Amino acid sequence: MDILTNIDVIRQDFPILTQRVHNRPLVYLDNAATTQKPWSVIQKIEEGYTKQNANVHRGVHFLSQMATEAHEAARVTVQQFLGAAHAHEIIFTRGTTESINLVAASFGETFLKQGDEVIVSEMEHHSNIVPWQLLQQRKGIIIKVIPFNEAGELDLQAYASLFSDRTKLVAVNHVSNVLGTINPVQQIIQIAHHNNVPVLIDGAQSVPHIAVNVQELDADFYVFSGHKIYGPTGIGVLYGKEKWLDAMVPYQGGGEMIAQVSFEKTTFNELPYKFEAGTPDFIGSTALAEAIRYVQNIGMDQIAAYETYLLNYATDKLQQLGDVRFFGTSSHKSAVISMQVGNIHHYDMGTLLDKLGIALRTGHHCAQPIMQHFGIEGTLRASFALYNTTQEIDALVAGIQRVKQLF
Ligand code: PMP
């Protein structure tokens, strides 16, 4: 579907967008933090609770079977969306953060010993740094860091030189939530595999914006959050290759994840249930599948092209202001703009723009090492989604001009 010619219809799918904030039309440009939800997703959640709420995998009764079928169908929707080989390679989690913690805990427990090395990058979200640091404290592993250049692009030569015979995993994001850089993950994976090292890709900022195929990438683990792709909060995905998931010890213990329990010996369930202890978010999974259908109906390539159009339009207009410093200027970028306007503090700018109904993110964006790289405390960040418009970008630019006059 061509988004530009259908933008009015698309915006009607998102009820929150008609809201007024401080008596002005809402201009929502904080999509990297979370996205708004279309009616179809909201209705799916309502339908889950009004028509098919019963615990999954347990009951012989009608409702339980319906709920189970819907939950398992959602897994297949995610599998096909990511291009995974098997539905049982899709583990439902609470989100990107839990997916990475799961891999750090289970892969870490199974495969990592003191002195082993994990490679991450300087542009990771805290959720792809701290779980490895916790493992460092528990097991004495070593964390190595791929640096990035002034444009916000990873230094692949430095990366290739980080490998040693103790390297056990590479964990990098596909798209940076601060710099917007689309990292060359296919090349990153090839280099790692050449060294016999598996790779985890944090897809929190890629899956909602560009087409992803985990088999084409040959990713070993790929993770994302439902709420950043127009789905509900509290549900996310860990894709893992069967060979790794099979070999890894469970993450949490409880119901669902067992085959047989006695006080003498407990055996674990098969994939994916081995990693899904307790009652899963079966309403969230079906609503996430609905969100995936929503973006598939529009088309991931159309979404990527439209968001690139918004990115170019916004970058041009902001550049014309004359005193905007951009953080992240790669030519291979997703629709995220981190900036500093003159010497106006990002927090002041964000607060005053909010008074004009414009929602932006300010601060370190959970990526403090990026701030340390540039020697700054934080940035003002505008991040776009498929429902944003050039008129909203005009409103942002006019808003920034107004705040500048105030100062
Ligand atoms: N990684 C990246 C690149 C992100 O942008 C985010 C969210 N800002 C996360 C991980 C964490 O996602 P969540 O909070 O949904 O677990």
Side-chain angles (χ1 to χ4, degrees):
M1 181 195 288
D2 182 60
I3 300 182
L4 192 54
T5 51
N6 291 289
I7 191 69
D8 292 338
V9 183
I10 287 174
R11 284 180 68 84
Q12 282 168 21
D13 289 339
F14 294 83
I16 208 170
L17 297 181
T18 56
Q19 186 158 327
R20 291 177 76 81
V21 169
H22 303 309
N23 208 23
R24 301 206 170 228
L26 167 68
V27 175
Y28 185 77
L29 299 177
D30 192 16
N31 295 286
T34 201
T35 51
Q36 303 302 345
K37 319 303 168 199
W39 275 119
S40 59
V41 168
I42 297 166
Q43 280 159 356
K44 200 74 193 171
I45 295 169
E46 187 183 0
E47 193 184 297
Y49 286 116
T50 51
K51 299 214 174 98
Q52 73 188 30
N53 181 50
N55 211 332
V56 291
H57 303 137
R58 302 188 184 177
V60 290
H61 59 82
F62 178 77
L63 278 187
S64 176
Q65 283 180 11
M66 261 199 5
T68 305
E69 272 168 33
H71 182 60
E72 292 308 324
R75 202 187 302 278
V76 173
T77 301
V78 175
Q79 174 212 343
Q80 289 168 350
F81 181 56
L82 289 183
H86 309 288
H88 61 251
E89 293 177 318
I90 303 299
I91 312 290
F92 286 118
T93 64
R94 280 197 305 119
T96 303
T97 302
E98 187 175 51
S99 297
I100 298 173
N101 275 278
L102 189 162
V103 176
S106 296
F107 184 92
E109 183 58 34
T110 310
F111 294 110
L112 297 191
K113 293 190 289 294
Q114 185 173 15
D116 283 344
E117 297 164 2
V118 172
I119 297 176
V120 300
S121 90
E122 194 185 5
M123 65 167 82
E124 296 312 310
H125 187 277
H126 295 162
S127 61
N128 198 22
I129 298 174
V130 184
W132 307 112
Q133 291 177 326
L134 295 176
L135 196 60
Q136 184 174 40
Q137 285 171 12
R138 275 206 310 275
K139 288 212 150 188
I141 63 153
I142 293 160
I143 298 170
K144 289 185 163 177
V145 183
I146 316 165
F148 64 80
N149 64 20
E150 284 313 283
E153 293 161 332
L154 292 177
D155 179 342
L156 291 192
Q157 249 182 327
Y159 165 59
S161 71
L162 293 178
F163 286 86
S164 79
D165 55 4
R166 298 301 303 267
T167 311
K168 291 291 156 62
L169 187 74
V170 173
V172 292
N173 62 36
H174 197 156
V175 171
S176 160
N177 66 314
V178 177
L179 307 166
T181 318
I182 303 175
N183 287 314
V185 288
Q186 189 141 26
Q187 221 181 328
I188 288 171
I189 292 168
Q190 274 166 8
I191 292 170
H193 285 177
H194 186 70
N195 289 278
N196 286 321
V197 174
V199 181
L200 177 149
I201 303 292
D202 170 356
Q205 299 294 345
S206 49
V207 164
H209 305 290
I210 54 178
V212 168
N213 185 302
V214 292
Q215 283 192 93
E216 274 171 25
L217 290 175
D218 202 17
D220 298 277
F221 301 100
Y222 201 103
V223 303
F224 74 94
S225 298
H227 70 98
K228 291 188 200 277
I229 182 167
Y230 315 103
T233 48
I235 185 90
V237 167
L238 161 65
Y239 158 78
K241 279 185 187 166
E242 181 185 59
K243 67 167 180 180
W244 294 117
L245 295 176
D246 257 343
M248 282 155 53
V249 296
Y251 174 50
Q252 294 179 331
E256 297 267 333
M257 54 77 71
I258 51 84
Q260 194 82 43
V261 176
S262 73
F263 284 107
E264 288 71 42
K265 183 176 161 61
T266 288
T267 51
F268 304 125
N269 205 342
E270 59 195 13
L271 293 176
Y273 311 111
K274 177 174 127 183
F275 289 106
E276 293 182 352
T279 298
D281 184 359
F282 50 86
I283 306 278
S285 63
T286 50
L288 170 60
E290 197 59 40
I292 289 173
R293 278 190 284 281
Y294 186 84
V295 293
Q296 281 176 323
N297 274 339
I298 292 176
M300 288 314 296
D301 290 339
Q302 273 83 355
I303 292 172
Y306 180 69
E307 290 179 355
T308 301
Y309 159 75
L310 291 179
L311 172 70
N312 293 339
Y313 183 90
T315 307
D316 272 2
K317 290 273 164 164
L318 290 163
Q319 245 159 5
Q320 284 166 25
L321 289 174
D323 57 353
V324 177
R325 180 179 173 200
F326 296 95
F327 300 94
T329 51
S330 173
S331 56
H332 208 204
K333 233 187 113 163
S334 172
V336 174
I337 299 179
S338 271
M339 57 191 152
Q340 164 74 36
V341 182
N343 53 12
I344 304 171
H345 195 276
H346 50 89
Y347 181 79
D348 294 335
M349 182 58 92
T351 307
L352 291 167
L353 287 174
D354 173 60
K355 297 285 178 277
L356 302 172
I358 305 169
L360 264 75
R361 185 67 173 267
T362 66
H364 56 62
H365 317 295
C366 298
Q368 285 179 349
I370 298 181
M371 304 301 128
Q372 288 151 16
H373 177 108
F374 290 110
I376 55 176
E377 259 178 62
T379 74
L380 183 69
R381 182 186 72 184
S383 53
F384 304 93
L386 62 86
Y387 42 63
N388 288 128
T389 64
T390 50
Q391 288 89 325
E392 290 181 307
I393 294 168
D394 292 340
L396 168 67
V397 174
I400 291 177
Q401 265 167 329
R402 233 178 115 175
V403 175
K404 277 170 65 176
Q405 280 157 10
L406 269 179
F407 276 75

